[in-house]
Amino acid sequence: QKEVEQNSGPLSVPEGAIASLNCTYSDRGSQSFFWYRQYSGKSPELIMFIYSNGDKEDGRFTAQLNKASQYVSLLIRDSQPSDSATYLCAGPKGSGGGADGLTFGKGTHLIIQP
Amino acid sequence: KAGVTQTPRYLIKTRGQQVTLSCSPISGHRSVSWYQQTPGQGLQFLFEYFSETQRNKGNFPGRFSGRQFSNSRSEMNVSTLELGDSALYLCASSFAGSYNEQFFGPGTRLTVL
């Protein structure tokens, strides 16, 4: 069973600072990863996905994938109170190139302090 | 474009009963995945249906089953409910499959007494 692990937090970051969220995974062969954001009482929503080694930027969000070290990170620049949520990292569940579905980490609870 | 809908939103059942949850995916999406979310275990994959066929299955007992209809709507059934089945059940739809961009529904909150 492939694992995706995250620190549950809470991670507290002052408003305007960079929030850094990390995720490690067990399977060296995993190719791509997803970051979902889940507000309390709501369902997850996809904010970023990354397929290749290196960085991917989208607005204030940057996803980083380091296959050699088997970690994925999400950076949130200029953090806003509205970024306060639980962030879920997801990777491939099986070895079928992703066709086996996703396995999720338990999420990191992020708090942006005004 | 309408999002993913799930019914009912809340359910209260007693041990031993069975329950059926429904999910209507985004129009044009062929894949529907089901997840169980609990505070202790997080989000766990139940199964995925794609074009009416179960394509993947998670590590849940056979009491958990599902199906998908020709219009891509999906149902999930849990028989002989146990207290530990209390959870938020989420479905997610995707055009190409669960390993692509998924859109989650609002979930069904199941409480087993």
Side-chain angles (χ1 to χ4, degrees):
Chain A
Q1 178 71 28
K2 301 187 178 183
E3 302 289 335
V4 173
E5 297 198 2
Q6 299 178 254
N7 188 320
S8 62
L11 174 64
S12 186
V13 173
E15 183 176 357
I18 296 175
S20 178
L21 303 157
N22 298 308
C23 165
T24 59
Y25 58 94
S26 62
D27 177 41
R28 187 174 290 276
S30 295
Q31 298 294 315
S32 47
F33 294 85
F34 299 81
W35 282 100
Y36 285 81
R37 177 177 63 198
Q38 186 173 23
Y39 291 114
S40 180
K42 301 293 186 182
S43 55
E45 59 176 324
L46 181 67
I47 53 172
M48 290 285 286
F49 61 89
I50 184 163
Y51 292 123
S52 57
N53 231 13
D55 297 0
K56 179 182 178 183
E57 189 174 316
D58 184 1
R60 296 187 297 112
F61 297 94
T62 299
Q64 299 174 321
L65 175 58
N66 185 320
K67 293 185 178 181
S69 300
Q70 295 177 235
Y71 79 79
V72 192
S73 62
L74 179 70
L75 302 179
I76 306 175
R77 290 181 299 281
D78 188 24
S79 297
Q80 303 296 310
S82 59
D83 295 326
S84 297
T86 296
Y87 289 80
L88 304 167
C89 173
K93 179 174 171 291
S95 56
D100 299 336
L102 290 179
T103 185
F104 283 79
K106 293 187 178 180
T108 297
H109 182 43
L110 175 66
I111 299 171
I112 306 300
Q113 295 180 322
Chain B
K1 194 181 236 186
V4 180
T5 59
Q6 291 186 246
T7 57
R9 294 293 311 279
Y10 301 91
L11 265 179
I12 299 175
K13 293 286 187 180
T14 56
R15 280 180 298 172
Q17 288 187 306
Q18 75 166 21
V19 66
T20 299
L21 313 181
S22 181
C23 172
S24 292
I26 291 170
S27 177
H29 285 191
R30 296 174 293 172
S31 165
V32 174
S33 296
W34 288 90
Y35 297 86
Q36 181 195 67
Q37 189 172 37
T38 59
Q41 297 299 317
L43 199 61
Q44 293 187 289
F45 175 77
L46 280 155
F47 30 65
E48 178 194 1
Y49 285 86
F50 188 93
S51 296
E52 301 181 66
T53 300
Q54 187 181 85
R55 191 155 74 169
N56 296 301
K57 192 176 190 305
N59 298 322
F60 279 81
R63 300 185 298 106
F64 292 82
S65 63
R67 58 178 176 168
Q68 187 179 35
F69 302 95
S70 58
N71 62 358
S72 292
R73 188 177 71 86
S74 178
E75 287 182 347
M76 188 193 104
N77 185 76
V78 188
S79 62
T80 319
L81 284 166
E82 300 177 359
L83 295 179
D85 297 333
S86 295
L88 179 67
Y89 290 88
L90 292 159
C91 82
S93 85
S94 171
F95 177 76
S98 60
Y99 199 53
N100 294 273
E101 185 176 14
Q102 293 187 83
F103 297 87
F104 283 84
T108 294
R109 172 74 63 186
L110 172 64
T111 301
V112 182
L113 302 176

